[in-house]
């Protein structure tokens, strides 16, 4: 048991650490960096796609069959790729329309940690919540897990958007891992989430012990995400992030809102950080006659994203639900005025309507158009909200605060673990 002031040794687990899609890779990179700067030792165990860490030597790869690689999703592996029963299970679950990665990653990482109990003080799981992690707890490992939000929300929104019976059946099978994650979450001694909104939803939908679930918000690096006054704003430019092309992110209502706005302002145009998948969004752009008014940007550096924020007059966060929203705090840190919905934790993150953001109901294109138009028409309002938004990030939402709060829970976990063992 380390002393209260002694640096900790952390085994950090993430079943996929994609640095360009979703928040898991960003959370992994920034938390590992800040924990290291606080003097702790972090080893990141990750499945594909691997995270881009500030210190690449911290990464221990946990290879899978990588069945969902972007260039060949749902691929059929070559026979010689099957080396263990876990490999067979991974492919079999995919063939049955399930999503195997959290389950199979947890089994692989348990095997890797089997003989390394002396190397770590604590295990921190980033929402893998696979069966192997419950077994690690039973093996005696002090374990903490982060649940960003209950995936039941994603499932329910996807089901509501699905029009065909076969699609709904396929989605239910895909989200079958939720039952496993719920069982494992109830077995883990200490849990973190990123907002009070997510905490309420996790308690109501996953029924974990409230005494085990604690809030540690995530954030932005204000030295990276910063105003760039030397870069001029582009009139009428709206920016949004839609790294995951799913209904929950609200890109479709935003596109409809931009189309409404362009009937009054022909300079209104949208830059989307992300890449559409499938035909749904391109078909909507066709129907709304938005060609030339929407640009998708993907695979760019963080510095380029900061430059794009500097060119935007407004940043939109149109999500139907968010457990937190890294894009919101990153835009605010850049001093860009925010138009956001009231979905999930967004009001908790972006603050009061008219002070640090403009808030609208989720899924309402007319409300989005009206709020964005109001911001585009009022330079003084944009400047005031942009300054206040950055200050809110500096006061509440930085990765250093996230790391410090996380370490407090590591130590509380270890105290409880020692007390239980004694």
């Amino acid at each position: 048991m380390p002393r209260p002031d002694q640096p900790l040794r952390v085994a950090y687990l993430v079943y996929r650490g994609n640095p360009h899609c979703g928040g898991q890779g960003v959370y992994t990179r920034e938390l590992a960096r800040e924990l290291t700067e606080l003097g702790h030792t972090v080893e990141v165990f990750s499945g594909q796609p691997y995270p881009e860490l500030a210190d690449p030597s911290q990464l221990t790869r946990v290879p899978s069959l990588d069945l969902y690689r972007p260039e060949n999703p749902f691929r059929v592996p070559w026979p010689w790729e099957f080396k263990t029963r876990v490999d067979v299970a991974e492919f079999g679950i995919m063939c049955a329309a399930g999503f195997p990665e959290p389950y199979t990653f947890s089994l692989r990482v348990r095997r890797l940690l089997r003989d390394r109990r002396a190397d770590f003080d604590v295990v921190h799981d980033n929402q893998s919540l696979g069966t192997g992690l419950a077994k690690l707890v039973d093996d005696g490992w002090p374990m903490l897990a982060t649940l960003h939000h209950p995936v039941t929300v994603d499932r329910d929104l996807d089901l509501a958007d699905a029009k065909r019976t076969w699609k709904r059946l396929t989605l239910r099978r895909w989200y079958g891992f939720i039952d496993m994650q719920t069982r494992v979450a109830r077995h883990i001694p200490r849990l973190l989430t990123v907002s009070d909104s997510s905490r309420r939803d996790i308690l109501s939908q996953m029924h974990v012990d409230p005494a085990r679930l604690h809030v540690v918000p995530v954030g932005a690096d204000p030295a990276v995400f910063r105003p760039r006054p030397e870069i001029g704003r582009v009139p009428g430019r709206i920016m949004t992030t839609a790294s995951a092309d799913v209904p929950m992110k609200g890109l479709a209502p935003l596109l409809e809102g931009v189309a409404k706005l362009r009937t009054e302002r022909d300079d209104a145009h949208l830059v989307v950080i992300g890449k559409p998948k499938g035909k749904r969004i391109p078909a909507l752009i066709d129907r709304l006659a938005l060609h030339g008014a929407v640009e998708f940007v993907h695979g760019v550096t963080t510095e380029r994203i900061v430059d794009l924020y500097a060119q935007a007059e407004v940043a939109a966060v149109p999500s139907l639900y968010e457990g937190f929203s890294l894009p919101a705090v990153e835009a605010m840190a850049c001093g860009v005025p925010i138009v956001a919905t009231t979905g999930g934790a967004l009001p908790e993150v972006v603050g009061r309507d008219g002070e640090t953001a403009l808030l609208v109901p989720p899924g309402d294109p007319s409300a989005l158009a009206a709020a964005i138009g109001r911001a585009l028409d009022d330079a003084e309002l944009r400047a005031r909200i942009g300054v206040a938004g950055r200050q809110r990030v500096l006061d509440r939402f930085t990765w250093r605060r996230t790391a410090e709060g996380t370490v407090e829970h590591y130590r509380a976990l270890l105290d409880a673990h020692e007390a239980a063992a004694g």
Side-chain angles (χ1 to χ4, degrees), residues 122-351:
V122 64
V123 176
H124 183 169
D125 172 57
N126 185 5
Q127 202 154 338
S128 306
L129 298 175
T131 300
L133 303 189
K135 294 178 179 179
L136 278 172
V137 174
D138 294 338
D139 292 340
W141 286 86
M143 180 172 292
L144 172 151
T146 297
L147 288 78
H148 297 271
H149 71 266
V151 184
T152 48
V153 176
D154 307 60
R155 178 197 62 196
D156 294 345
L157 288 170
D158 281 351
L159 287 171
D161 189 66
K163 306 303 180 186
R164 298 181 179 180
T165 300
W166 70 266
K167 179 65 172 178
R168 289 192 290 272
L169 290 172
T170 301
L171 283 170
R172 288 188 184 281
R173 177 58 186 153
W174 172 264
Y175 281 111
F177 67 90
I178 291 176
D179 290 341
M180 173 195 67
Q181 289 195 326
T182 298
R183 290 193 304 271
V184 174
R186 294 171 185 168
H187 195 68
I188 290 179
R190 199 170 192 89
L191 301 167
L192 302 183
T193 191
V194 295
S195 66
D196 289 327
S197 172
S198 279
R199 185 178 189 275
R200 289 191 297 270
D201 292 339
I202 290 166
L203 292 177
S204 67
Q205 298 185 37
M206 301 180 74
H207 306 292
V208 302
D209 181 354
R212 295 183 179 185
L213 181 59
H214 310 271
V215 175
V216 177
V218 293
D221 183 346
V224 174
F225 291 93
R226 64 200 188 280
R228 298 287 304 276
E230 71 277 14
I231 297 177
R233 304 284 185 191
V234 178
R237 176 160 295 182
I238 309 151
M239 184 166 159
T240 194
T241 297
S243 57
D245 183 13
V246 293
M248 188 174 75
K249 295 302 179 182
L251 182 56
L254 178 59
L255 290 169
E256 293 178 17
V258 171
K260 290 177 181 292
L261 185 60
R262 282 179 60 82
T263 64
E264 301 175 2
R265 304 186 48 122
D266 59 9
D267 67 341
H269 61 284
L270 179 66
V271 174
V272 183
I273 302 298
K275 183 179 181 181
K277 298 177 182 178
K279 300 177 180 179
R280 186 175 66 99
I281 292 300
L284 181 59
I285 291 172
D286 285 341
R287 180 171 66 80
L288 297 172
L290 284 176
H291 287 290
V294 180
E295 177 186 0
F296 289 90
V297 179
H298 63 94
V300 295
T301 64
T302 298
E303 191 64 23
R304 177 58 180 151
I305 293 174
V306 173
D307 290 346
L308 289 169
Y309 275 128
Q311 295 171 358
E313 289 197 306
V314 178
V317 187
S319 304
L320 306 183
Y321 177 91
E322 287 286 353
F324 185 81
S325 183
L326 287 174
V329 295
E330 289 170 354
M332 293 166 72
C334 290
V336 185
I338 290 280
V339 172
T341 73
T342 55
L346 280 170
E348 181 182 340
V349 173
V350 303

Side-chain angles (χ1 to χ4, degrees), residues 61-77:
R61 301 186 177 197
V62 186
S64 68
L65 293 177
D66 199 13
L67 300 174
Y68 306 98
R69 59 183 65 166
E71 68 275 14
N72 188 14
F74 304 98
R75 74 185 189 92
V76 177

Side-chain angles (χ1 to χ4, degrees), residues 13 45 62 103-116 130-141 143:
L13 318 180
F45 295 81
V62 186
Y103 170 68
T104 53
F105 170 80
S106 73
L107 298 180
R108 291 183 176 111
V109 83
R110 184 191 183 212
R111 186 175 299 169
L112 285 175
L113 290 174
R114 180 180 299 157
D115 300 321
R116 299 195 60 187
T131 300
L133 303 189
K135 294 178 179 179
L136 278 172
V137 174
D138 294 338
D139 292 340
W141 286 86
M143 180 172 292

